[in-house]
């Protein structure tokens, strides 16, 4: 009897092993082999529907992609489009779990499998998926049909509500399945997918804790949500394996086996100290592969690979700390669409890396995606290139209530769950405009529930007086803090076409020339490259002056809107936004290089950066100002070996050389430190006459794939006999393409912006075009011709991609390497302390003394104000200790538009007398160094409106810019209101 029982037990165990051993996970690229019809086709959800005449496409693919940059955002086509796909499951999959994962669609979609409705997704942002296990048929042709409506006024079916972020100003409407799709096959005991809204599952969660940055170690935790859909309970062991970037196993560990009952879902968790870690950092996208395995009776039944990185982040003292080093945030507020001409957002993964990598090349460390969550491809790209992300959920321009707020919470929940393993995300953004304290608490609770250990801050725009927010910051002016970091959500939005060098270069654009915008002057949105770069320097320098190390309260930086020209809200002459530091084809403007100089450093700028603005090809007799952006202490201009002297320094980084007479040859700029030691140099050379066309290919580093979705970028230049680009050439170029490729073209100023045209001009001697592969591999030849120029040609070759029954094991990001160019986080401190604040312990005032503390409370939404009478317009501060005062910094109401005559006294002795200067926030009074224990600030007369108040205080659309706190008292002759006062020791 015992023998028979033993035999029976063994058979059960063996049977269990065989059953579970067959349940291995596999994931397929579901992008190939789709059919598209634009319009509402009757019965298109039915399996037998004849779609043979529909357009064959490979995802990701927006059905209205042809209009990207051709039409203004509000004119992008909307309506119904159908997508259909035929596929056959691999042999043996019929007994397993089958899931579809969509990275996102625009806007609402209804999904049918083999004629049956399987679900709906409507928010137009987040990922989602379906369990199709019971509907898919084995060894048969399965048909997935999707009806998508991208109307601007789309309403959620269940709650009959529109979506706040479906907005014609900023959310370019590329309709359809514009993002990647995958098919997953698992056993019935499996690790779930992070698709909360549709599958109600949360996937895995990997994070590190107990960091030792100098010792290069941390405890790595891996958690997976497990679901058992077998008929029996299972004793499951959870194993974790960590491989480094070279594929070497650095650690394996596991948790004790745990019983998971049939039909149950639970979390399995394992953790271990890991030594020798390379920490993810800015410009150092070091990633590990974490393999989490489920084992039953020693047999692996599910295996999941997750790419992630480990970094320590803290948000304190008004600063951001990455791996124990302070990092001043600097970068771009980029439209989440991140789009390209005639393609929209649906680009291959390598092109995402190229675009996002350019941000890092300009020494940006942060991209603040605007209004809605970016797609997974861009998020993973930022992991690889080492670019920190601020990830929004969904928003327009204001707080909301009711269903619309519920929708925002739902999107934030889904986005956090889907993206919490991506190390590049440091900030979760709850709104493009301020939200209430109550709403901030609700959003923070979501983060704490689903990402309590990810080392991320959650906040929103403003949040200056809401303690629950972990970061904040305004737009278009400076905030400072001694507690949570505040960085500007956008600090510059001027526009300028790359084609416009200056008024002396073809096409001779006078700076600011262009039509009005909403009947208002739009000069700031029709800049040339000179003035656009200069404005970038001016704006950034004000933040740089308040960087970490400059006192107890500091600015944590900010982001410039935007990085690349965008098919969104525009104010300039063209029908698209041109405030990018690169154009829509990612060709840099001068502002790109200006940022590269100013941002080269974690906090303090490295002294070796230099850029000579513009070009050196002019008509004889031309005289113009030459501008150099340099991080040194002085800059010299040298023309053909002869010194033209040193430039006039302004705005921290800008050197101006006035009325320089053009002379063909070499124009060199050299920077020096204050001891005269040479730091860096750069030069411009006069190019010869245009003689030829030069073509240069830029493509996937793993090869141009014949998958019907890959793109190659080809740069076209007009060059002289020596191969130098001719910087003022505007030649019209005609292109001819042969071979298995689809022309997508480029963009230039002209009719329909030359979208999809096979002839377009170079601008500044250069342009770029895109060609898309087909599903046929082969050679592609591109020839470029222009009147009077030697033609250029280039050959491309696409590589075959294996697709079987609509499925592929090759993915768009396969083989893409991380960028490690900047190196690991610095071992040394990243900033120098340049001034020390003296603590204020009390204050009295000529009026409203009980509110005097509000002028030094580290809250920029509170202020002290007198009663509008001149003899009460003073405030006296008591210091913690007697000190030698060197500077007093003020943020006054009307900081942007008014100049106030003031004097400052230390223990009754006058140390400063003069006017405040309008700025983006703060005015620093340089005082005669004087020792004392009190500091008095006194108004001497009425504040005066700045001469250009109309320009700096009002947006181009007439909306008044933030200028402090509105006070009637400040309109009186004796009105004085101070938001913040800071007092510093003399050096």
């Amino acid at each position: 009897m015992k023998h028979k029982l033993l035999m029976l037990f063994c058979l059960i165990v063996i049977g269990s092993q065989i059953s579970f051993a067959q349940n291995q996970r596999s994931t397929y690229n579901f992008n190939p082999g789709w059919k598209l019809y634009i319009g509402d086709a009757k019965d298109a959800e039915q399996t037998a529907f004849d779609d043979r005449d529909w357009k064959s496409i490979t995802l990701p693919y927006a059905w209205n992609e042809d209009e990207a940059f051709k039409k203004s955002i509000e004119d992008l086509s909307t309506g119904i489009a159908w997508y259909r796909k035929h596929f056959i499951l691999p042999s043996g999959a019929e007994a397993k779990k089958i899931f579809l994962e969509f990275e996102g669609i625009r806007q609402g979609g209804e999904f049918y499998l083999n004629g049956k409705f399987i679900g709906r997704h409507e928010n137009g942002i987040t990922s989602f998926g379906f369990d199709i296990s019971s509907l898919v048929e084995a060894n048969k042709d399965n048909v997935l049909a999707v009806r998508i409506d991208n109307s601007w006024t789309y309403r959620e079916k269940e709650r009959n509500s529109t979506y706040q972020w479906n907005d014609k100003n900023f959310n370019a409407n590329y309709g359809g399945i514009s993002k990647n799709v995958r098919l997953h096959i698992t056993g019935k005991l499996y690790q779930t997918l992070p698709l909360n809204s549709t599958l109600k599952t949360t996937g895995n969660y990997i994070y590190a804790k107990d960091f030792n940055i100098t010792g290069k170690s941390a405890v790595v935790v891996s958690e997976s949500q497990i679901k058992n859909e077998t008929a029996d309970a299972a004793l499951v062991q959870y194993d974790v394996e960590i491989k480094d970037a070279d594929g070497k196993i650095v650690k394996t560990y596991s948790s004790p086996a745990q019983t998971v009952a049939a039909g149950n879902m639970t979390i399995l968790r394992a953790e271990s100290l890991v030594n020798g870690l390379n920490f993810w950092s800015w410009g150092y996208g070091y990633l590990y592969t974490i393999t989490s395995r489920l084992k039953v009776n020693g047999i692996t039944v599910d295996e999941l690979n997750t790419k992630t990185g480990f970094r320590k982040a803290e948000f304190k003292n008004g600063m951001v700390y990455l791996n124990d080093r302070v990092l001043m945030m600097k970068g771009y507020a980029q439209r989440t669409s991140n789009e390209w001409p005639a393609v929209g957002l649906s680009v291959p993964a390598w092109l995402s890396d190229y675009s996002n990598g350019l941000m890092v090349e300009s020494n940006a460390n942060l991209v603040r995606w605007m209004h809605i969550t970016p797609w997974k491809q861009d998020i993973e790209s930022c992991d690889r290139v080492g670019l920190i992300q601020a990830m929004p959920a969904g928003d327009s321009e204001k707080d909301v209530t009711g269903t619309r707020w519920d929708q925002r919470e739902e999107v934030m929940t889904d986005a956090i769950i889907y993206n919490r393993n991506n190390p590049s995300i440091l900030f979760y953004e709850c709104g493009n405009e301020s939200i209430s304290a109550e709403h901030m608490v609700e959003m923070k609770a979501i983060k704490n529930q689903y990402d309590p250990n990810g080392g991320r801050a959650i906040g929103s725009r403003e949040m200056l007086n809401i303690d629950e927010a972990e970061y904040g910051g305004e737009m278009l002016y400076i905030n400072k803090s001694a507690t949570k970091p505040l960085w500007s959500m956008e600090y510059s939005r001027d526009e300028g076409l790359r084609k416009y060098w200056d008024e002396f270069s073809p096409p001779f654009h006078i700076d600011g020339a262009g039509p009005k915008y909403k009947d208002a002057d739009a000069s700031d949105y029709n800049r040339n490259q000179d003035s656009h770069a200069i404005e970038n320097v001016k704006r950034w320098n004000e933040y740089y002056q308040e960087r970490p190390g400059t006192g107890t309260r500091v600015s944590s930086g900010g982001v410039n809107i935007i990085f690349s020209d965008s098919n969104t809200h525009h104010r300039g002459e063209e029908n698209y936004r041109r405030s990018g530091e690169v154009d829509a084809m990612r060709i840099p403007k001068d502002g790109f290089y200006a940022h590269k100089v100013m941002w080269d450093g974690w906090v303090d700028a490295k002294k070796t950066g230099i850029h000579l603005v513009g070009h050196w090809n002019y008509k004889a007799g031309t005289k113009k100002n030459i501008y150099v952006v340099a991080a040194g202490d002085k800059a010299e201009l040298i023309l053909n070996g002869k010194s033209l002297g040193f430039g006039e320094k302004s705005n921290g980084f800008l050197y101006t050389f006035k009325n320089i007479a053009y002379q063909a040859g070499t124009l060199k700029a050299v920077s020096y430190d204050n001891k005269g030691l040479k730091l860096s140099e750069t030069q411009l050379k006069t190019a010869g006459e245009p003689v030829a066309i030069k073509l240069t290919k830029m493509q996937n580093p793993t090869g141009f794939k014949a998958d019907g979705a890959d793109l190659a970028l080809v740069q076209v230049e007009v060059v002289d006999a020596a191969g130098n680009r001719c910087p003022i050439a505007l030649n019209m170029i005609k292109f001819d393409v042969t071979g298995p490729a689809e022309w997508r073209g480029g963009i230039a100023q002209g009719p329909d912006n030359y979208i999809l045209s096979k002839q377009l001009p170079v601008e500044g001697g250069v342009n770029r075009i895109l060609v898309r592969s087909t599903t046929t591999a082969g050679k592609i030849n591109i020839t470029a011709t222009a009147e009077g120029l030697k033609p250029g040609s280039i050959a491309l070759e696409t590589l075959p991609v294996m697709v079987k029954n609509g499925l592929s094991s090759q993915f768009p990001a396969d083989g893409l390497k991380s960028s490690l160019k900047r190196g690991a986080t610095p071992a040394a401190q990243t900033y120098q302390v340049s001034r020390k604040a003296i603590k204020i312990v009390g204050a009295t005032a000529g009026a409203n003394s009980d509110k005097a503390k509000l002028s030094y409370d580290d809250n920029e939404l509170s202020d002290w104000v007198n009663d509008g009478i001149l003899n009460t317009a003073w405030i006296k501060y008591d210091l913690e200790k007697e000190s030698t005062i060197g500077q007093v910094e003020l943020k006054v109401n009307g900081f942007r538009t008014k100049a106030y005559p003031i004097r400052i006294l230390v223990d009754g002795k006058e140390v400063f007398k003069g006017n405040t200067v309008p700025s983006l926030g703060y005015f620093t009074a340089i005082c005669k160094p004087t020792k004392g224990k009190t500091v008095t600030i006194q108004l001497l007369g009425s504040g005066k409106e700045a001469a250009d108040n109309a320009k700096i205080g009002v947006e181009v659309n007439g909306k008044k810019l933030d200028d402090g706190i509105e006070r009637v008292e400040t309109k009186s002759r004796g009105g004085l209101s101070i938001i913040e006062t800071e007092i510093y020791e003399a050096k």
Side-chain angles (χ1 to χ4, degrees):
M1 183 67 180
K2 288 182 179 179
H3 178 71
K4 289 182 178 179
L5 287 173
L6 180 61
M7 288 289 293
L8 179 61
F9 175 76
C10 290
L11 286 171
I12 291 171
V13 170
I14 293 170
S16 176
Q17 288 177 340
I18 292 171
S19 174
F20 280 120
Q22 293 173 347
N23 292 336
Q24 294 293 327
R25 175 185 296 253
S26 54
T27 298
Y28 294 93
N29 181 352
F30 208 60
N31 288 340
W34 287 77
K35 292 282 194 171
L36 169 68
Y37 177 79
I38 301 170
D40 200 359
K42 189 176 185 302
D43 298 325
E45 76 278 11
Q46 297 301 320
T47 304
F49 183 88
D50 186 358
D51 57 21
R52 286 175 296 178
D53 292 335
W54 287 17
K55 182 176 182 178
S56 295
I57 61 167
T58 300
L59 300 182
Y61 189 93
W63 64 263
N64 58 350
E65 65 168 7
D66 290 0
E67 298 172 357
F69 285 92
K70 179 178 181 178
K71 293 185 177 181
S72 184
I73 180 174
E74 68 275 10
D75 296 324
L76 292 172
S77 293
T78 60
I80 306 299
W82 280 90
Y83 288 71
R84 282 171 57 92
K85 179 180 175 67
H86 297 253
F87 65 101
I88 300 173
L89 288 180
S91 178
E94 59 273 9
K96 298 184 180 183
K97 296 292 297 181
I98 316 293
F99 300 97
L100 289 174
E101 176 193 355
F102 289 80
E103 288 186 3
I105 61 171
R106 178 69 180 273
Q107 173 74 38
E110 296 172 342
F111 295 78
Y112 302 84
L113 182 63
N114 297 330
K116 296 179 181 178
F117 179 72
I118 60 172
R120 182 182 286 119
H121 195 263
E122 301 175 281
N123 66 41
I125 300 176
T126 58
S127 58
F128 59 95
F130 302 104
D131 180 346
I132 60 172
S133 309
S134 62
L135 293 176
V136 71
E137 298 182 25
N139 304 313
K140 290 185 179 180
D141 181 39
N142 293 276
V143 179
L144 180 68
V146 188
R147 181 184 185 271
I148 297 182
D149 181 354
N150 72 322
S151 168
W152 287 113
T153 57
Y154 182 91
R155 287 185 173 273
E156 182 188 5
K157 299 297 185 288
E158 185 175 340
R159 291 177 286 195
N160 193 34
S161 173
T162 56
Y163 289 94
Q164 187 187 10
W165 49 83
N166 194 9
D167 188 286
K168 292 182 179 181
N169 282 321
F170 57 81
N171 191 359
N173 196 337
Y174 304 121
I177 309 178
S178 54
K179 302 175 185 178
N180 297 307
V181 187
R182 285 175 285 275
L183 182 139
H184 303 274
I185 301 174
T186 74
K188 292 188 177 180
L189 175 64
Y190 61 95
Q191 298 168 79
T192 66
L193 296 173
L195 302 174
N196 176 69
S197 63
T198 46
L199 295 182
K200 310 301 180 187
T201 55
T202 56
N204 69 339
Y205 182 35
I206 300 168
Y207 59 91
K209 63 179 183 177
D210 301 336
F211 289 91
N212 182 339
I213 298 299
T214 56
K216 300 188 70 175
S217 70
V219 172
V220 176
V221 183
S222 180
E223 301 177 356
S224 287
Q225 185 185 60
I226 310 302
K227 197 168 186 180
N228 183 3
E229 294 195 42
T230 70
D232 301 307
L235 187 63
V236 185
Q237 182 176 306
Y238 185 64
D239 285 2
V240 177
E241 178 184 272
I242 302 177
K243 289 182 181 177
D244 65 14
D246 296 321
K248 179 184 176 182
I249 297 174
V250 297
K251 192 75 175 183
T252 58
Y253 52 96
S254 61
S255 67
Q258 180 176 330
T259 299
V260 183
N264 275 21
M265 198 154 56
T266 190
I267 302 291
L268 297 186
R269 181 177 185 273
E271 66 175 62
S272 177
L273 177 67
V274 183
N275 295 308
L277 285 174
N278 294 294
F279 295 113
W280 188 95
S281 188
W282 167 36
Y284 188 74
Y286 200 97
L287 300 176
Y288 289 86
T289 300
I290 313 299
T291 302
S292 50
R293 297 186 178 99
L294 306 184
K295 287 186 175 180
V296 176
N297 299 322
I299 304 296
T300 299
V301 300
D302 189 43
E303 181 175 292
L304 176 65
N305 293 317
T306 304
K307 283 254 186 177
T308 189
F310 308 113
R311 81 289 181 277
K312 180 183 179 184
E314 296 176 285
F315 311 89
K316 60 185 182 180
N317 307 323
M319 297 182 286
V320 177
Y321 294 74
L322 179 62
N323 301 329
D324 291 340
R325 291 293 170 257
V326 174
L327 183 64
M328 188 179 188
M329 308 319 300
K330 41 204 172 184
Y332 304 99
Q334 176 76 338
R335 298 302 193 198
T336 300
S337 46
N338 205 13
E339 69 267 52
W340 291 72
V343 176
L345 67 86
S346 303
V347 298
W350 81 266
L351 205 52
S352 293
D353 282 11
Y354 174 71
S355 180
N356 297 328
L358 278 174
M359 294 193 221
V360 180
E361 187 180 321
S362 75
N363 286 319
N365 57 42
L366 171 66
V367 57
R368 174 193 173 235
W369 301 111
M370 300 186 71
H371 298 282
I372 64 171
T373 308
W375 66 320
K376 192 69 167 183
Q377 181 170 294
D378 263 327
I379 289 175
E380 292 176 338
S381 171
C382 290
D383 287 347
R384 289 190 293 270
V385 303
L387 181 62
I388 294 168
Q389 301 179 75
M391 185 200 83
D395 184 19
S396 179
E397 294 283 353
K398 63 180 180 179
D399 203 359
V400 287
T401 58
T403 296
R404 283 189 156 197
W405 177 252
D406 294 341
Q407 291 170 336
R408 283 171 61 168
E409 287 194 314
E410 291 160 7
V411 169
M412 179 62 83
T413 301
D414 282 0
I416 287 177
I417 289 170
Y418 196 58
N419 300 309
R420 60 187 176 176
N421 292 328
N422 294 95
S424 53
I425 299 172
L426 254 62
F427 302 97
Y428 292 139
E429 182 179 292
C430 304
N432 191 65
E433 182 54 90
S434 59
I435 61 174
S436 68
E438 179 185 11
H439 281 169
M440 188 68 247
V441 169
E442 292 173 8
M443 285 290 195
K444 190 173 181 179
I446 293 171
K447 188 204 84 163
N448 290 342
Q449 179 178 355
Y450 295 107
D451 187 19
N453 305 300
R456 297 181 175 96
I458 191 164
S460 183
R461 180 174 157 191
E462 296 184 356
M463 301 289 101
L464 308 183
N465 63 343
I466 296 181
D467 293 337
E468 290 78 10
E470 296 168 331
Y471 78 97
E474 247 299 351
M475 298 167 69
L476 303 176
Y477 71 90
I478 297 172
N479 307 123
K480 299 202 294 181
S481 173
T483 53
K484 64 190 171 197
L486 302 177
W487 47 269
S488 179
M489 304 300 179
E490 65 180 67
Y491 68 80
S492 180
R493 55 169 64 156
D494 295 24
E495 296 186 35
L497 198 65
R498 184 181 64 80
K499 182 177 181 177
Y500 299 150
W501 283 111
D502 54 41
E503 62 188 279
F504 305 102
S505 307
F508 307 106
H509 173 80
I510 297 173
D511 189 43
K516 290 184 176 182
Y517 176 76
K518 295 185 177 180
D519 205 35
D521 176 74
S523 298
D524 290 349
Y525 302 96
N526 287 291
R527 291 189 179 276
N528 61 34
Q529 285 208 57
D530 276 12
S531 74
H532 199 178
I534 291 166
E535 184 65 19
N536 282 326
V537 174
K538 289 179 178 178
R539 296 286 185 95
W540 174 252
N541 184 59
E542 289 203 45
Y543 292 87
Y544 186 72
Q545 296 304 313
E546 310 300 336
R547 66 192 181 277
T550 61
T552 304
R553 300 184 72 248
V554 296
S555 164
S556 205
V559 290
N560 186 346
I561 179 172
I562 51 182
F563 174 65
S564 59
D565 289 354
S566 171
N567 192 187
T568 57
H569 189 197
H570 59 90
R571 297 174 173 88
E573 187 171 8
E574 310 307 311
N575 67 349
Y576 61 92
R577 190 165 195 153
R578 304 155 313 149
S579 44
E581 306 315 309
V582 299
D583 71 7
M585 300 302 288
R586 277 52 173 184
I587 302 172
K589 306 177 189 177
D590 269 310
F592 175 94
Y593 299 105
H595 285 110
K596 191 171 184 176
V597 170
M598 300 184 294
W599 288 351
D600 190 10
W602 277 55
V603 177
D604 298 334
K606 293 181 181 178
K607 293 290 187 179
T608 52
I610 191 168
H611 175 63
L612 186 49
V613 177
H615 64 92
W616 197 237
N617 275 69
Y618 292 96
K619 292 181 179 178
T622 299
K623 286 187 176 182
K624 73 171 297 252
N625 291 348
I626 299 297
Y627 304 98
V628 174
V629 182
D633 298 305
K634 55 183 179 179
E636 181 184 19
L637 200 62
I638 301 168
L639 177 57
N640 294 330
K642 180 181 179 182
S643 176
L644 302 182
F646 290 87
E648 178 185 336
K649 186 175 184 179
S650 63
N651 300 291
F653 299 92
L654 185 66
Y655 296 86
T656 302
F657 300 82
K658 294 184 177 179
N659 296 316
I660 301 300
Y662 171 71
Q663 184 183 105
T666 301
L667 184 67
K668 182 186 293 185
V670 183
S671 68
Y672 305 86
D673 66 12
N674 51 23
K675 295 180 181 179
L677 180 68
K678 180 179 173 180
L679 297 170
S680 58
E681 67 176 55
T682 188
Q683 66 183 29
L684 296 171
K685 286 186 176 181
T686 304
E689 291 298 311
V691 298
I693 297 171
K694 177 183 176 182
L695 299 182
T696 307
K697 66 181 177 182
M698 306 158 79
Q699 65 180 36
N700 190 329
T702 67
F704 191 9
K705 303 298 192 299
D707 60 4
D710 202 2
L711 291 161
L713 189 61
V714 178
Q715 180 163 286
V716 54
E717 297 173 90
V718 171
V719 297
D720 65 11
N724 300 307
R725 184 188 299 175
C726 300
I728 57 174
L730 298 170
N731 302 70
M732 180 65 72
I733 312 294
K734 295 181 180 179
F735 295 90
D736 182 68
V737 181
T738 61
E742 179 190 1
W743 177 262
R744 301 313 298 171
I747 187 171
Q749 186 187 44
D752 290 332
N753 301 319
Y754 286 97
I755 299 302
L756 292 175
S757 174
K758 283 192 176 178
Q759 63 174 29
L760 71 158
V762 293
E763 296 178 335
V766 62
N767 214 325
R768 290 175 179 169
I769 58 93
L770 286 165
V771 292
R772 179 185 281 150
S773 68
T774 68
T775 54
T776 301
K779 291 185 178 180
I780 302 161
N781 292 298
I782 301 174
T783 303
T785 59
E787 187 176 346
L789 299 178
K790 182 182 177 181
S793 63
I794 197 166
L796 307 172
E797 185 167 3
T798 55
L799 305 176
V801 173
M802 179 65 71
V803 178
K804 183 178 180 181
N805 297 325
L807 307 177
S808 176
S809 295
Q810 292 179 248
F811 292 85
D814 282 354
L816 296 180
K817 303 294 185 182
S818 288
S819 174
L820 306 176
K821 291 179 183 177
R822 288 197 61 89
T825 301
Q829 181 59 272
T830 52
Y831 66 93
Q832 299 295 320
V833 175
S834 59
R835 64 183 182 186
K836 293 183 179 180
I838 307 164
K839 187 176 181 180
I840 300 170
V841 295
T844 55
N848 299 322
S849 259
D850 60 324
K851 300 291 180 62
K853 187 176 182 179
L854 299 180
S855 68
Y856 62 95
D857 63 350
D858 197 26
N859 177 5
E860 297 191 0
L861 293 182
S862 67
D863 70 323
W864 164 80
V865 62
N866 75 328
D867 54 10
I869 300 172
L870 187 60
N871 63 13
T872 69
W874 61 268
I875 188 167
K876 183 178 182 180
Y877 296 101
D878 299 318
L879 307 181
E880 183 178 45
K881 61 181 181 179
E882 187 177 55
S883 305
T884 301
I885 312 304
Q887 296 180 23
V888 175
E889 192 164 71
L890 300 173
K891 188 169 200 176
V892 295
N893 266 315
F895 58 79
R896 191 191 299 272
T897 56
K898 278 191 175 182
Y900 291 89
I902 62 169
R903 69 171 180 161
I904 300 174
L905 305 98
V906 174
D907 285 356
K909 299 175 185 176
E910 184 175 282
V911 297
F912 173 87
K913 185 176 182 181
N915 294 326
T916 65
V917 177
S919 70
L920 295 181
Y922 284 87
F923 164 73
T924 301
I926 306 300
C927 303
K928 178 183 178 182
T930 304
K931 198 169 189 178
K933 202 172 181 181
T934 65
V935 173
T936 302
I937 299 165
Q938 181 181 2
L939 183 68
L940 298 178
S942 177
K944 302 292 185 184
E945 295 287 329
D948 57 352
N949 170 44
K951 183 177 180 181
I952 66 174
V954 179
E955 279 198 79
V956 71
N957 60 6
K959 179 182 177 182
K960 190 176 185 298
L961 293 168
D962 291 313
D963 198 21
I965 302 162
E966 188 70 26
R967 294 293 187 190
V968 295
E969 292 87 351
T970 59
K971 296 177 181 178
S972 304
R973 182 175 184 272
L976 178 63
S977 173
I978 299 175
I979 297 169
E980 289 292 333
T981 299
E982 297 162 33
I983 300 166
Y984 301 97
E985 293 180 0
K987 295 181 181 179

